[in-house]
Structures are given as C-alpha cells and as structure tokens.
Amino acid sequence: MKKLLKKRIIIPVLACGLFFTTTAFQNDFFEIAKQLEIFTTLFKELNMNYVDETNPGDLMDTAIKSMLADLDPYTNFMNEQDVEAARINNTGDYTGIGAKVKTLKDKLVIVEPYKDYPADKAGLKAGDEIVKVGNIRIEDYKEDAGELLRGVTGSSVEVTYKRQGKTNTATINRAEVEIKAVPYFSLINNKTGYIVLSRFNEKAAAETNYALRDLKAQGAQKIILDLRGNPGGLLNEAIKIVNLFVPKGQLVVTTKSKVKKYNKTYYTQDNPIDTEIPLVVLIDGGSASASEIVSGSLQDLDRAVIVGSRSFGKGLVQRPKELIYGTQVKITISRYYTPSGRCIQALDYWHRNEKGEAVRVKQENYNEYKTKNGRKVFDGGGVFPDASFDASNNSAITNAIVNNDLVFNFATDFYYKHKLDNVDNFKLTDTDFNEFKSYLKSNNFTFETETEKALNKAFEAATKEELNDNIEKDYKTLISNLNKSKTSIIDENKAYLLELLTEEIVKRYVYREGLYDYYKRHDTKIKKATEILSNPSTYNDYLH
C-alpha cells in the first residue's frame, strides 16, 4: 500500500515538473514566434510603402547589428565574406597574394607583405596603395575590393599602385598562403628558448609542440612563451598547449552557461612534452581569450611565471551557428573559468551605465582565489602578471593617432628617407620624436575629447539661450587649455609612441621575422623573463 501511495505521489509531481518545463518552453517559443511575426510584418510594410526607395539588405543589416549591439561585441552576424574570413583565421590557409591588406573606399593599402610570398616577390611594400586590380578601379567597386586579390593558385593578377606619389604596376602570381600560429622561435641564449604564439588556429598546438621539441633538441633548458598581442582563437588548441607543460588529466578550464549542454569541464588528454622545464609566459593588454586560458591556467597551476602587463580580460566563449544563404551568427554561449575558479571577464556588458557603455569590473569587487601552491590570484580584470610592467598609457588621443594610420604612414615615409643596412642597434631619438609631432601637425591631426564635446554642447546651448556673452571668454580659455593638455598627453605617451614607431619601422627593413630578432636584443619584457629564468631561486620564489 505504501509503495502504491509513493507512486501516486511521485507521478503527479513528475507530471507537474514536466508541465512547468513544457509550459516555459512553449511560452518562450510563442514569444519568439510572436516577435518574429511582428518584425516580418513591419519589414514588409516598410519596404512596400516608404516614400523613397529602400534597400532591404541594408535595412536588415542595420536591424541585425542594432539588435546584437545590445548584447556583447563578440555576438556577431557573419555574412559570406565574414564566414570565409573566419575560416581563414581558424585554418591559417588561403590562396592569394600573401599580404595583410587594409580596404579603404578608394584603395587597398598593403599593411604588411609576408616574406617570400607573391606580393613580396612582386616588389610590393608596406604603404603601397593599390588603386586598380586588372581593369577594375577600386573607387568604382561596390563590393569587398579585397576579394579581387584572391584567386586560384598559379593565377596572376595585375595591380596598379601608388608609392610615394608615383604610379607603378606589378603582376602578382597568386599562391597558397599559410598563416603560421607560431611565426617565430629560436634560442635567446644557449639555454633559453623563445616561442612566439600569435594566434590560436587549428595549427597552434602542433606548431608550438614542434617549436618546443626543436628548441629542446638545440639545448634549451628554459622556455619563454610570448602571447603578447595574441587575440585568442580556438579553445581546444589552448587546452592542448597547456597540456605540453602539465600532466594528462589536469583540469584546464570550465565553461558555464544557461544551456546545460554548454556546461563543460576540459582536461588535458595527452602525455606532456615536459612538466619540469622552467617556463615564463609573456602577456599584455592585447592577450585575450585563449591566450588568457593558457596564461591563467598555467598561473593557477603554478606551472609558469607570468610577465608583462594585465591581459585584455575576455572570459566569454563563442560558437558559430549556421544560418541560411551561407551566413552564420557567432553567439556568446558561456563564460569560462580557470582551474582556481576565476572568470577573468573585465567588462560587464549586461549592467551598463547610463550612456549604455559596458562597465569595467571595479578592483574592490574582485574576488580572491588561490593557486595550487596557495598564491593569491583575482578575477574580474584579466590575468595579472606575477612580474608586472606598467601598461602603456594608450589614452584616447594615442589610440586616435594609431587608428588614423599616422604611425603607419610616418614609418612609410621614414623607410623611404633613411637607408639602414643593419637594424640591430636601431633606436629612435628625441629628434625623431619631434619630427613625428611635426608630422602630426602637418597632417592636420585633430582629436575632439569627450570634455571638448561636452563644452561645445554647453556653449551651443548657452548661445541659443543668449547667455553666451558672459562666458565666451572663459569658454575659449578652457578650449585653449585643453589643446595644451592634448599636446602634453602626446609627450607623456612618448615611450609608448616610440615603441609603436620602432616596431613599424623595423618591420619595413627586416619583415616580422627580423622584428622578433630585434625584440630578443632590445625588449625589456624578454630581458626580464630571461633574468627570472637564469636564477632558479628567483623563479621558484615567484611560484610559492
């Protein structure tokens, strides 16, 4: 009788749970269907009845982007070109001219030719402006002009380009291009190996594995892994790279989501290469996502000393979902957590300020966690290095200088004005920096700060209300003082700007490979890493 009673009680409870779950699902489904129907009806009526001609594709593109902008910057709609770009980023392979190219309205700018690839062999250099591909003028081409440079292996393309005011032509024979995840590795000294990992594509772990084995065969007894500027990529590749240095079966990362199937724990699956070799990992503000999984987990496991400046702080995982007509949507599906349990996400996109801006997690709200050896580590703001360097003070003004290609263009002019047979000891001087500041002025570099915008808006309001007579003098004084402040900010960022200029200039003479050689001799973070590794007691002190 008791068993029968239990059955009578349990079955209704289960049925009730199923009812609520099903009802919740049906409510969600109904709400989605309802909103889709409203939107479809609106979209149709708008395009059919609006007073002027509309472009349905442009309207839909705006609608999608506006909707996704309310979420986070990593949840993106991907058209067919975006999908192909993502494929290239993940595989590292494509057919083309072998150069990093920037697409502008009226030209294609060669940002960086890859050594010994077609563009380089055809004589193209950074700064060259392609204005015509075959018979097609870039300014007349309405689609993605960068696609004009793609084509099958062995095919050729003629380009017309401008260099320092002169027009030239070149024929480029397209070829298979391989973008390496590890573009460089070598010995720094007879016992220290240096590996640059620039991206987490499908070859990242295999190339890092090869570099590590090769360096050990050359006599390396210590390793520096450089993740600076690495924006991340494939999660599984990050786990495999951690696995090179830690045993099989070690927890590396956990992902948590509202969708149960995305709640996963990831462990190392293979036998490691070397669990004892002293290891330093270099990071900076450009190290994100998979870079932070590698650096954060190796820090949590006390397997590496982290050197540099605080990483970017991206603790979110995305997954592409196929749509129709060759498009995709990349959706943030979960947050990830390092072995100690911390999530290093720095910006809160779900509790924005009154301006709609994502808010950085405040330091007083960081939570404390412990590494394997009991060291304190924190969440909420990226990975904090064990040996920390001040982050470059890249203010809004210096960002504007970079985004307006003024560093890039100055480097182009410098290259054609100065013949350097050897860059080993190249160093920019105060005179060079003053020339750069003059270059900014001659190119009419202007940048309106948020303060200026607010002052201008206030003065416009005062003018409308006819209250400007008494404050005009003060307003002009404030604007003048702000302009002086902007000039001083450029001087305050001298070291950072010289660093950017040096990097861009050195690449012009010796390609990216030569830049890494230059870093080995001059980079302060590499010197610090080498110093830590050269002293076993110092190295161990960082980890305990």
Side-chain angles (χ1 to χ4, degrees), residues 115-136:
K115 188 177 181 181
D116 295 330
Y117 275 108
D120 182 40
K121 289 179 178 178
L124 269 70
K125 297 185 179 297
D128 288 348
E129 301 174 352
I130 297 174
V131 293
K132 194 160 70 168
V133 178
N135 294 320
I136 301 173

Side-chain angles (χ1 to χ4, degrees), residues 64-73 75 352 356:
I64 291 171
K65 288 177 180 176
S66 297
M67 174 176 64
L68 298 182
D70 275 350
L71 303 176
D72 64 74
T75 298
R352 299 178 183 241

